[in-house]
Amino acid sequence: MKSSQQSVVIGDRVIDLAREGLRDGRGDIVPLRPRAWAVLRLLATRAGQLVGKDEIMDEVWSDCEVTEDSLVQAIGDIRRALGDASRPALKTLPRRGYMLVVDERPIDVPVVSGNAVQTSEADEPPKSSSMPHLSIVVLPFTNPGNDPAQDYFIDGVTESLTTDLSRIAGSFVIGRNTAFTFKGKPIDARQIGRDLNVRYVLEGSVQRGSNRFRLNAQLVDTETGSHVWADRFDKPAADLLDMQDEIVSRLANTLNAELIAAEARRAERLPRPDAMDLYFQGRACINKGVTPVFLAQARDFFMRALALDPGNIEAAVAAAQIDVSAGSAFLTDDPSVQFEAAETALHRVLLHAPNHPRAHMLLGAVQMQTRRGLSGIAQCGQALLLDPNLADAHGFIGLGKFLLGRGEEVEEHIQEALRLSPRDTRTYLWYMFVGLGKLSIGADHEAVEWFRRSIECNRNHALAHFHFATALALVGDLKEARAAALAGLAVDPSFTIRRYRTKARVDNPAHLRFYEGMHLAGVPEE
């Protein structure tokens, strides 16, 4: 059996990953039912590695509840489709999982079962491996004060963080049972990376004094041994469980952005990036801001990812986010086109992955922007039930309250988003939402400060500049208002008051003041 990035050859059969099919020696398709093909594709992308039964079930049957018999039947279909070559190539490890063998011998790798991984019984480290994208192990945080009374709290932080990081799109997280085998041992991140076949190690320490709590964390690249990110969290000591939830959420949200950036940088160096490499590069573009250029670049990455892997759920959700962002930012004269495209795509995603938090959240955003505010808020609530760390869902609920004419309620939702993720890449949007709420209830001076904070976080969002200009004009600062309007036009030269007025998504009469403010600030009418 031989493999490349695009295909795996087994005897006279070719697993064609680029064109999504099993082919015979003549290039003709060998029939396989969709679920069996999905199993074979997963095994082929991890050729030479043991893939646990639980992980296969979670990946292939994520949209329904089935017994292990379905997996056994799919494996039988694969063996029949592979023919004589299946016996040496497709290995069954009883009670553990399955493996496609590379060069007629397996690679010694961690045994994967869902998000739990146990160390291989082989004495030697992997001879050759392709580390999974965004793969990470959370090592047990240390207790520098050696206070035994704090051990349960520190272990709780480690366990909760392991669970929460597994919710990051495209992540592969080593299970806590394996991670805790390293507790109290000297740490060599590069060796751990080789042993567990992961790209990143998260390590840290927790100290708690009489009235203060401090957590230090470092993210290490296991291939180079270099630090990707490090930070310190200081908080007044409070209720331990509440504090644990908040710290873990903040860490998980911060690491989400850092890991995406790290994976995108890694992908930039690859001559032939795969679908997930392209996905991470697209996500990194989205994080830069909402401009026509950044959105076009991100869309290109996601479309290329979907061309390589049409079943890539994360790329499909992210592509829909591009349409939501373009429509929400008034980047086109008819945003209904973008909203309709996003809604169609998100319904398709949820048909296959009904518990995808971001898909529910983005569907909620579309509904809010198309005068279905209550339904949209409910969708964001569903997203939070599926992922309590999804701070952006709180942000969208705040926007929904503004669009429903309940501007006085916006700030409390944004404060909750900031509690969960104070350094989020999308805080600039959340600050703008509060500014809109303040402006709608006549608190113009407060609105000015919220819009100013939005722009200080990220200048690559034209709508924030135009709203800032509006608020400044309404408080009488026309000079700065006109400068803010010009800054917005530098980001989106096509913006006009007519576009904003004709596509308004709010019935609040106070919104008429927005048009007046934009006019005073010098935003073009046409």
Side-chain angles (χ1 to χ4, degrees):
M1 169 176 152
K2 298 180 180 179
S3 66
S4 71
Q5 190 173 27
Q6 299 297 323
S7 63
V8 178
V9 179
I10 302 176
D12 63 348
R13 298 286 192 263
V14 178
I15 304 171
D16 190 337
L17 299 174
R19 292 186 292 174
E20 290 283 306
L22 179 65
R23 300 178 183 275
D24 62 19
R26 298 186 300 275
D28 296 328
I29 287 287
V30 178
L32 261 182
R33 286 183 287 189
R35 304 281 185 176
W37 163 250
V39 173
L40 180 58
R41 179 178 59 191
L42 175 61
L43 295 173
T45 59
R46 303 266 288 280
Q49 301 181 30
L50 176 62
V51 185
K53 292 180 180 180
D54 289 346
E55 183 180 7
I56 299 173
M57 298 286 286
D58 289 345
E59 176 77 18
V60 176
W61 286 275
S62 61
D63 58 333
C64 58
E65 295 289 333
V66 296
T67 67
E68 196 173 304
D69 290 343
S70 297
L71 174 56
V72 173
Q73 183 179 14
I75 291 294
D77 290 346
I78 293 169
R79 291 191 189 281
R80 285 187 288 275
L82 292 177
D84 293 340
S86 70
R87 184 172 297 277
L90 181 54
K91 300 292 186 183
T92 300
L93 284 83
R95 298 185 300 280
R96 294 165 70 187
Y98 301 92
M99 179 192 297
L100 278 177
V101 178
V102 176
D103 296 331
E104 311 227 323
R105 62 179 177 81
I107 296 174
D108 294 327
V109 295
V111 178
V112 184
S113 178
N115 282 327
V117 177
Q118 298 174 331
T119 308
S120 168
E121 296 176 21
D123 293 327
E124 296 296 322
K127 307 289 191 302
S128 168
S129 68
S130 176
M131 292 179 176
H133 296 88
L134 215 158
S135 48
I136 184 171
V137 58
V138 181
L139 295 179
F141 280 35
T142 61
N143 181 1
N146 295 317
D147 180 0
Q150 301 303 319
D151 277 348
Y152 79 96
F153 173 73
I154 296 171
D155 289 350
V157 168
T158 307
E159 291 186 41
S160 296
L161 192 55
T162 298
T163 299
D164 288 6
L165 289 180
S166 69
R167 296 190 179 106
I168 296 176
S171 66
F172 175 86
V173 184
I174 296 295
R176 51 111 34 221
N177 290 337
T178 295
F180 271 82
T181 64
F182 294 93
K183 186 172 183 177
K185 297 179 181 178
I187 300 303
D188 180 340
R190 300 181 76 168
Q191 184 61 46
I192 290 174
R194 289 190 292 269
D195 289 345
L196 298 181
N197 201 36
V198 294
R199 289 182 175 180
Y200 306 101
V201 164
L202 181 70
E203 56 182 339
S205 62
V206 178
Q207 289 177 285
R208 183 169 181 264
S210 58
N211 59 0
R212 296 293 300 176
F213 166 92
R214 172 172 293 175
L215 182 147
N216 292 287
Q218 303 88 36
L219 183 68
V220 182
D221 184 320
T222 63
E223 292 182 324
T224 64
S226 60
H227 282 71
V228 177
W229 166 88
D231 208 345
R232 185 176 72 188
F233 296 81
D234 280 298
K235 280 183 62 64
D239 179 85
L240 286 182
L241 288 178
D242 289 344
M243 188 165 57
Q244 176 180 316
D245 288 345
E246 182 172 335
I247 287 293
V248 167
S249 180
R250 289 186 177 200
L251 264 174
N253 279 301
T254 301
L255 283 166
N256 192 338
E258 295 295 336
L259 287 165
I260 287 171
E263 288 292 297
R265 289 192 297 269
R266 187 189 298 271
E268 288 173 358
R269 302 192 296 267
L270 298 176
R272 296 178 65 187
D274 64 20
M276 288 307 295
D277 292 322
L278 295 167
Y279 163 75
F280 287 120
Q281 287 181 278
R283 282 292 303 274
C285 282
I286 288 179
N287 288 343
K288 293 178 182 178
V290 183
T291 71
V293 171
F294 289 149
L295 294 186
Q297 290 174 344
R299 187 189 298 277
D300 179 64
F301 281 121
F302 298 139
M303 290 300 101
R304 288 165 59 194
L306 288 168
L308 288 176
D309 180 6
N312 190 312
I313 293 292
E314 302 307 333
V317 172
Q321 182 177 342
I322 298 298
D323 284 319
V324 174
S325 296
S328 301
F330 295 87
L331 295 181
T332 65
D333 285 332
D334 188 5
S336 65
V337 175
Q338 278 76 30
F339 290 137
E340 288 172 10
E343 186 161 3
T344 299
L346 291 167
H347 277 302
R348 189 181 305 122
V349 165
L350 289 170
L351 185 65
H352 296 286
N355 292 325
H356 196 291
R358 292 189 64 81
H360 280 286
M361 180 192 73
L362 291 169
L363 181 58
V366 170
Q367 292 173 344
M368 292 173 193
Q369 299 277 19
T370 52
R371 298 179 181 268
R372 292 171 285 169
L374 291 177
S375 179
I377 289 172
Q379 284 287 345
C380 286
Q382 177 64 22
L384 286 166
L385 288 175
L386 295 167
D387 181 0
N389 290 337
L390 192 53
D392 209 16
H394 287 289
F396 276 121
I397 291 173
L399 175 63
K401 293 296 181 70
F402 160 70
L403 293 171
L404 288 171
R406 294 153 61 179
E408 68 282 356
E409 299 178 31
V410 176
E411 184 177 353
E412 65 179 286
H413 297 287
I414 301 309
Q415 291 294 358
E416 182 61 18
L418 292 168
R419 184 185 73 83
L420 295 175
S421 189
R423 302 176 190 177
D424 203 279
T425 58
R426 290 176 58 87
T427 51
Y428 69 99
L429 291 172
W430 304 343
Y431 292 148
M432 186 187 76
F433 297 160
V434 181
L436 291 172
K438 298 296 184 182
L439 207 57
S440 72
I441 61 175
D444 298 344
H445 287 280
E446 290 185 67
V448 165
E449 295 311 311
W450 281 99
F451 291 135
R452 193 188 304 278
R453 291 173 70 183
S454 172
I455 292 166
E456 287 172 352
C457 284
N458 191 328
R459 303 188 66 83
N460 297 318
H461 187 214
L463 203 55
H465 289 284
F466 295 129
H467 286 139
F468 185 37
T470 299
L472 287 166
L474 291 175
V475 300
D477 191 344
L478 293 181
K479 182 178 180 180
E480 190 176 1
R482 287 166 183 158
L486 289 174
L489 290 169
V491 178
D492 179 13
S494 68
F495 186 87
T496 64
I497 295 176
R498 179 188 60 79
R499 176 186 292 179
Y500 189 76
R501 183 194 301 269
T502 58
K503 302 304 174 186
R505 298 138 200 170
V506 60
D507 294 318
N508 190 337
H511 210 63
L512 294 174
R513 302 176 63 246
F514 287 35
Y515 313 137
E516 176 191 352
M518 285 187 182
H519 176 75
L520 290 172
V523 177
E525 292 282 353
E526 298 287 341

